[in-house]
């Protein structure tokens, strides 16, 4: 009786099971475009450079809030630039009455930095309330910058090793090209628009690596299954079939992640905005690379058609040698 009261929910297919989009038809233009995009991103990083935050550059970060009304950014900038502390960056922080002041590292180290921070607080105390102060020295910022890049490089190498041991070297090469593509394009966009690059952005890049490799492994698993199942199917046709069979999962996972990240970007506040933006770019770029880079590269590199026969022959040979012994 109780079961009759429970409604029956049926699954809904967003993509037909017999979907056959010709992804391999566009593999050459997609790979060429992706390589060009990677080169442009490298050029942007070398030309414009990354806009390092206080974490990586050193200096002070002061959060101020107006006592009444909205912050007058132009008046505040004019007042602080007259102090002679070099490049002082001022921006609205979340709400119109919150301001974030970035003060560059002062000559003389910490002995000069603390008085400079105090001077900024004193000058603005009539109209603003100090909410937060962060100070990062040059030695610490340099160490954080180096360890951040090492963490991203180590993550790439660990993922490549995992994919290599699980599949074949062709899959590992496709994975490292796809993951490098995701990281470089995200960094290139940050360099182009001079978005702040700090420790939270590095954390986002590491998260992007994990998300993207998950997509790549799902597609690679289906390719390996189909290589065993369709032993005479032409490789490009087989790759196209595998991508289409996992397309629903890839797209729906990406849309779900994007919906959450967009909500966090809008309502999460300024503190995590850099992380959210990097993640949002990474999910979109990572979904593209799983479809148009990692799998199509196998069409150029070639891949073993069947693992099961080789394994079976190895086991049979071992049994025969033991029997003879």
């Amino acid at each position: 009786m109780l079961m009759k009261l429970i409604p029956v929910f049926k699954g809904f297919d967003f993509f037909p099971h017999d979907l056959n989009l010709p992804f391999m038809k566009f593999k050459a233009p997609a790979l060429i475009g992706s390589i060009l995009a990677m080169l442009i991103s490298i050029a942007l990083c070398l030309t414009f450079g990354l806009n390092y935050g206080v974490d990586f550059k050193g200096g002070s970060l002061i959060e101020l809030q107006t006592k009444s009304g909205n912050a007058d950014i132009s008046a505040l900038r004019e007042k602080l630039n007259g102090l002679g502390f070099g490049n002082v960056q001022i921006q609205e922080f979340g709400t119109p009455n919150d301001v974030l002041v970035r003060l560059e590292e002062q000559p003389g180290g910490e002995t000069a930095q603390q008085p400079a921070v105090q001077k900024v607080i004193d000058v603005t105390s009539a109209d603003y309330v100090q909410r937060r102060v962060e100070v990062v020295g040059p030695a610490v910022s340099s160490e954080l910058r180096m360890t951040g890049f090492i963490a991203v490089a180590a993550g790439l190498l660990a993922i490549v090793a995992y994919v290599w041991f699980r599949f074949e070297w062709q899959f590992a090469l496709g994975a490292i090209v796809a993951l490098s593509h995701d990281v470089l394009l995200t960094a290139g966009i940050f360099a182009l628009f001079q978005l702040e690059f700090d420790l939270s952005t590095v954390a986002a890049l590491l998260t992007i690596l994990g998300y993207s490799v998950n997509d790549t492994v799902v597609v690679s698993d289906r390719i390996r299954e189909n290589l065993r199942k369709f032993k005479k199917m032409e490789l490009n046709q087989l790759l196209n079939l595998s991508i289409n069979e996992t397309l629903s999962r890839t797209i729906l996972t990406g849309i779900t992640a994007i919906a959450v990240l967009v909500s966090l970007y809008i309502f999460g506040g300024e503190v995590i905005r850099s992380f959210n933006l990097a993640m949002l770019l990474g999910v979109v770029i990572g979904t593209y690379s799983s479809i148009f880079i990692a799998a199509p590269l196998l069409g150029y590199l070639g891949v073993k058609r069947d693992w099961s026969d080789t394994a079976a022959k190895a086991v049979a040979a071992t049994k025969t040698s033991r029997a003879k012994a």
Side-chain angles (χ1 to χ4, degrees):
M1 182 66 180
L2 181 60
M3 295 300 295
K4 293 181 180 180
L5 299 176
I6 300 176
V8 177
F9 294 99
K10 294 183 178 179
F12 179 77
D13 289 332
F14 288 89
F15 298 91
H17 287 288
D18 57 349
L19 188 67
N20 188 26
L21 298 176
F23 291 108
M24 291 300 105
K25 183 179 179 180
F26 305 103
K27 68 175 184 178
L31 284 172
I32 293 171
S34 297
I35 292 171
L36 287 175
M38 291 168 71
L39 294 175
I40 291 171
S41 295
I42 293 172
L44 287 171
C45 291
L46 294 176
T47 305
F48 294 104
L50 293 170
N51 180 24
Y52 292 121
V54 174
D55 296 338
F56 291 152
K57 191 165 55 176
S60 304
L61 186 148
I62 308 164
E63 184 183 347
L64 303 173
Q65 186 178 64
T66 58
K67 292 181 178 179
S68 62
N70 296 338
D72 189 343
I73 303 293
S74 58
L76 184 61
R77 182 176 287 111
E78 184 179 351
K79 183 184 293 186
L80 295 183
N81 284 337
L83 297 177
F85 293 143
N87 182 27
V88 180
Q89 299 179 10
I90 305 170
Q91 68 181 74
E92 187 178 291
F93 186 72
T95 62
N97 61 337
D98 286 325
V99 175
L100 200 63
V101 178
R102 289 183 176 84
L103 191 64
E104 68 179 21
E105 181 70 24
Q106 300 297 303
E110 292 185 11
T111 56
Q113 193 71 21
Q114 292 294 345
V117 172
Q118 190 59 48
K119 183 67 174 177
V120 171
I121 295 172
D122 292 341
V123 167
T124 59
S125 61
D127 302 314
Y128 295 87
V129 177
Q130 170 204 334
R131 299 192 63 189
R132 172 169 60 106
V133 176
E134 294 180 8
V135 180
V136 180
V140 175
S141 63
S142 177
E143 183 180 348
L144 287 174
R145 187 166 60 246
M146 180 59 66
T147 53
F149 288 128
I150 290 174
V152 175
L156 273 171
L157 292 176
I159 289 171
V160 169
Y162 163 73
V163 176
W164 193 332
F165 285 122
R166 178 166 178 177
F167 299 102
E168 290 287 319
W169 68 267
Q170 294 95 331
F171 289 91
L173 185 58
I176 194 171
V177 172
L179 296 175
S180 300
H181 167 272
D182 301 343
V183 171
L184 284 175
L185 261 63
T186 303
I189 293 172
F190 268 71
L192 177 62
F193 296 102
Q194 287 297 287
L195 303 170
E196 185 176 346
F197 192 94
D198 53 18
L199 278 176
S200 66
T201 314
V202 173
L205 291 179
L206 291 171
T207 310
I208 289 166
L209 292 179
Y211 177 89
S212 186
V213 77
N214 182 53
D215 264 355
T216 302
V217 166
V218 168
V219 177
S220 298
D221 262 330
R222 184 54 58 91
I223 291 171
R224 184 167 62 176
E225 289 174 7
N226 286 336
L227 283 169
R228 292 168 173 167
K229 186 177 179 181
F230 305 105
K231 296 178 180 173
K232 295 184 179 180
M233 182 181 289
E234 194 268 330
L235 184 56
N236 282 328
Q237 184 182 352
L238 187 143
L239 294 174
N240 203 67
L241 173 66
S242 302
I243 295 173
N244 276 280
E245 287 178 344
T246 55
L247 185 63
S248 176
R249 180 260 174 211
T250 300
I251 298 298
L252 292 178
T253 302
I255 290 174
T256 304
I258 289 170
V260 173
L261 291 169
V262 168
S263 299
L264 283 174
Y265 185 80
I266 296 172
F267 303 109
E270 194 69 30
V271 176
I272 60 172
R273 187 151 291 176
S274 178
F275 175 86
N276 285 334
L277 181 59
M279 279 295 300
L280 191 57
L281 292 171
V283 169
V284 174
I285 297 169
T287 301
Y288 164 85
S289 66
S290 298
I291 296 172
F292 287 103
I293 296 180
L297 270 176
L298 296 174
Y300 293 106
L301 298 172
V303 67
K304 192 187 299 181
R305 299 294 300 190
D306 187 19
W307 286 267
S308 57
D309 289 348
T310 305
K313 290 177 182 177
V315 172
T318 303
K319 289 182 178 179
T320 303
S321 60
R322 286 178 179 176
K324 290 180 179 180

